[in-house]
Amino acid sequence: MKVSRNQIGKKRKHQESSANTSETAPEDTVASTMDANDGFTFTEVNSVKASSMKVISCHFSADGKWLATAGHDKKAVLWYTDGLKRKSIFEGHSSLITDVCFSPSMPYLATSSFDKTIRVWDAGNPRNSLHTFRGHSTCVMSVDFHPNRDDLICSCDGDGEIRYWSITNSNCARVFKGGSAQIRFQPRLGRYLAAAEDCAVSILDVETQARRHLLQGHVKPIHFLCWDPSGEYIASVSEDFVRIWTVGSGDKGECIHELSSKGNKFYSCVFHPTNPSLLIIGCYQASRNLHLLTTLAITLKMLSIIFVDYVAGMVSMTDMQLWAFTSVFGTLEHDPKQVCDTSCS
C-alpha cells in the first residue's frame, strides 16, 4: 500500500501550524519536573537545539552512551548522552532522513532517506558511509538491524517493498512485499519481522518471509511499532489508538489491550528496557486540558502507560530533550521521537 500524500499533506499543514504557535496557555507551561499520577515522575535531564530543522528520528546505542538523531536537515548527529555534547555529524543523504538506528552489537548506525537509499556508517568515523544501498524505487521509510546477525539489515519503502541487505557483500539479499510505514526485528531472538502497512501489522518469519500473524483492528494508518524487550509483545500506534499484541511462541497474535487517544493524537511509544510492564506513549497533539505528562493506568497484566505530549505549542520540534523517568521500577532516560510531516517527491 503506497503512502497517501493527501493524508501526509494534511498532517503537515496541521503540524506546521501547531509548531509555529507562539501563544501558550498558562496550563501548558512546561515545568522542569512534572509529577504524573500514581507516583510516576519525569524530570528534564537536559535539552539542546538539535537542528534548525525538524528532528524526526532518534535512537540510543545499546550501551546507552550515545544518542543518534536525524531529520529534515539530511544529517545524522551523534551525541554523548551524558551532557548532550555533540560527537560527530554524518552527511551524505540528498533528502531528509526518515529513520536512524544503531546496530545492537557493532559500532554501526544506519539511516534511511527520502533519497531512496540506506546508508550504514561507522559510528567512530563520520567522514563517509561504509555502505550505500540502492534499489528502492521510492522513499525509504524505515531501517533496522537484525539483533544477532551482524550482516543483516532490513528496509521498507512507501510502496510496501521490503529489502534485506548484506553488509558484508554490500548487496540486496532479498526483496518482498509487506510494509510501507515501519519495520522492526523481534529483539533477542530475531525470528520475526514486524512490518506496518496501512492499518495492519504483519508478523513475518525472517527466514521464509511467510506471514505468521496479521494484526488487524486499527482504523487509521499505523506509523510506529515497538517490541517489548522479551520479544513476546508488540505495540502498534496510530494517531487514535495504541494496541498491544501477543506474538510470542505459541501465541495467536491477539490484541490484549487497546488505548484510545480520546481526541489527542498518538505518534510513538517505547517499552521500558528492563520493566516491560511500562509503556511510554508520545503524542504530537493534545487537548488543552491535558498536562504535559499524564499517567494512564490500565489493569490488564498490570501494564502502566505514561502518556507524553511533547508538542501542543510547548516543545519545539527542532529541540531535543532528555527526561529521567523515576518510579518504583527505577529510572529510564527517554527522548521522544519528533514528528515526520513530509511527503515523498
Side-chain angles (χ1 to χ4, degrees):
M1 180 72 69
K2 189 172 183 177
V3 176
S4 168
R5 296 191 184 191
N6 290 335
Q7 289 178 340
I8 299 177
K10 291 178 182 178
K11 190 174 178 181
R12 168 165 43 179
K13 289 180 181 179
H14 176 77
Q15 291 165 358
E16 285 178 348
S17 64
S18 297
N20 293 330
T21 301
S22 58
E23 296 182 1
T24 303
E27 66 268 24
D28 288 337
T29 302
V30 180
S32 59
T33 302
M34 307 219 45
D35 293 322
N37 300 326
D38 300 328
F40 298 105
T41 301
F42 273 83
T43 304
E44 183 178 328
V45 175
N46 208 337
S47 64
V48 66
K49 191 171 185 64
S51 171
S52 61
M53 303 178 75
K54 293 179 181 178
V55 176
I56 58 178
S57 184
C58 67
H59 193 226
F60 284 98
S61 60
D63 59 10
K65 294 180 180 179
W66 293 345
L67 173 67
T69 61
H72 286 213
D73 63 3
K74 312 172 191 176
K75 304 172 185 176
V77 182
L78 193 61
W79 308 81
Y80 293 103
T81 304
D82 186 12
L84 285 184
K85 301 275 187 190
R86 189 165 61 190
K87 181 182 185 295
S88 51
I89 299 175
F90 302 83
E91 298 182 81
H93 285 291
S94 60
S95 189
L96 71 89
I97 297 174
T98 55
D99 203 4
V100 61
C101 64
F102 281 98
S103 165
S105 57
M106 303 288 285
Y108 296 158
L109 63 112
T111 51
S112 59
S113 171
F114 270 25
D115 66 12
K116 307 176 186 178
T117 70
I118 303 96
R119 289 177 179 256
V120 175
W121 312 79
D122 182 344
N125 181 9
R127 292 184 180 180
N128 295 296
S129 57
L130 296 173
H131 305 278
T132 301
F133 297 110
R134 294 180 174 89
H136 285 286
S137 59
T138 189
C139 312
V140 186
M141 304 304 295
S142 185
V143 63
D144 197 22
F145 285 92
H146 192 275
N148 47 45
R149 290 171 56 180
D150 297 338
D151 183 53
L152 178 62
I153 61 171
C154 182
S155 61
C156 74
D157 67 27
D159 281 336
E161 183 178 271
I162 298 174
R163 287 177 174 251
Y164 287 170
W165 306 91
S166 168
I167 298 175
T168 302
N169 298 325
S170 299
N171 62 13
C172 180
R174 195 159 299 172
V175 182
F176 54 101
K177 289 283 189 175
S180 60
Q182 193 173 61
I183 44 92
R184 289 292 181 258
F185 283 113
Q186 179 192 33
R188 261 185 350 107
L189 299 176
R191 291 176 57 190
Y192 305 120
L193 176 72
E197 183 170 28
D198 200 10
C199 302
V201 181
S202 294
I203 305 298
L204 307 171
D205 185 285
V206 168
E207 297 298 330
T208 67
Q209 292 78 60
R211 188 166 65 194
R212 185 172 186 268
H213 300 300
L214 181 62
L215 310 179
Q216 295 177 299
H218 286 275
V219 296
K220 292 190 175 183
I222 297 165
H223 42 243
F224 201 88
L225 300 172
C226 183
W227 292 89
D228 86 306
S230 72
E232 297 292 316
Y233 303 94
I234 191 167
S236 55
V237 182
S238 60
E239 69 173 37
D240 59 340
F241 271 94
V242 172
R243 290 174 175 262
I244 301 168
W245 313 80
T246 58
V247 292
S249 301
D251 292 319
K252 299 179 180 179
E254 297 176 333
C255 179
I256 60 170
H257 189 79
E258 65 176 28
L259 179 70
S260 170
S261 65
K262 297 181 179 178
N264 307 297
K265 293 188 177 180
F266 291 152
Y267 181 72
S268 61
C269 68
V270 63
F271 282 95
H272 191 288
T274 58
N275 295 281
S277 61
L278 187 67
L279 181 70
I280 299 172
I281 302 172
C283 177
Y284 67 87
Q285 176 178 307
S287 55
R288 286 282 184 173
N289 62 351
L290 287 180
H291 294 294
L292 176 66
L293 301 170
T294 304
T295 303
L296 302 176
I298 61 178
T299 57
L300 186 59
K301 293 196 175 182
M302 299 186 66
L303 177 68
S304 298
I305 294 181
I306 304 297
F307 171 84
V308 183
D309 163 31
Y310 53 88
V311 179
M314 296 177 290
V315 179
S316 168
M317 295 166 72
T318 63
D319 293 343
M320 178 174 62
Q321 294 187 312
L322 283 180
W323 296 85
F325 169 74
T326 306
S327 73
V328 294
F329 300 126
T331 300
L332 167 67
E333 291 183 354
H334 174 61
D335 182 4
K337 282 193 173 185
Q338 300 294 351
V339 180
C340 178
D341 62 347
T342 55
S343 59
C344 294
S345 56

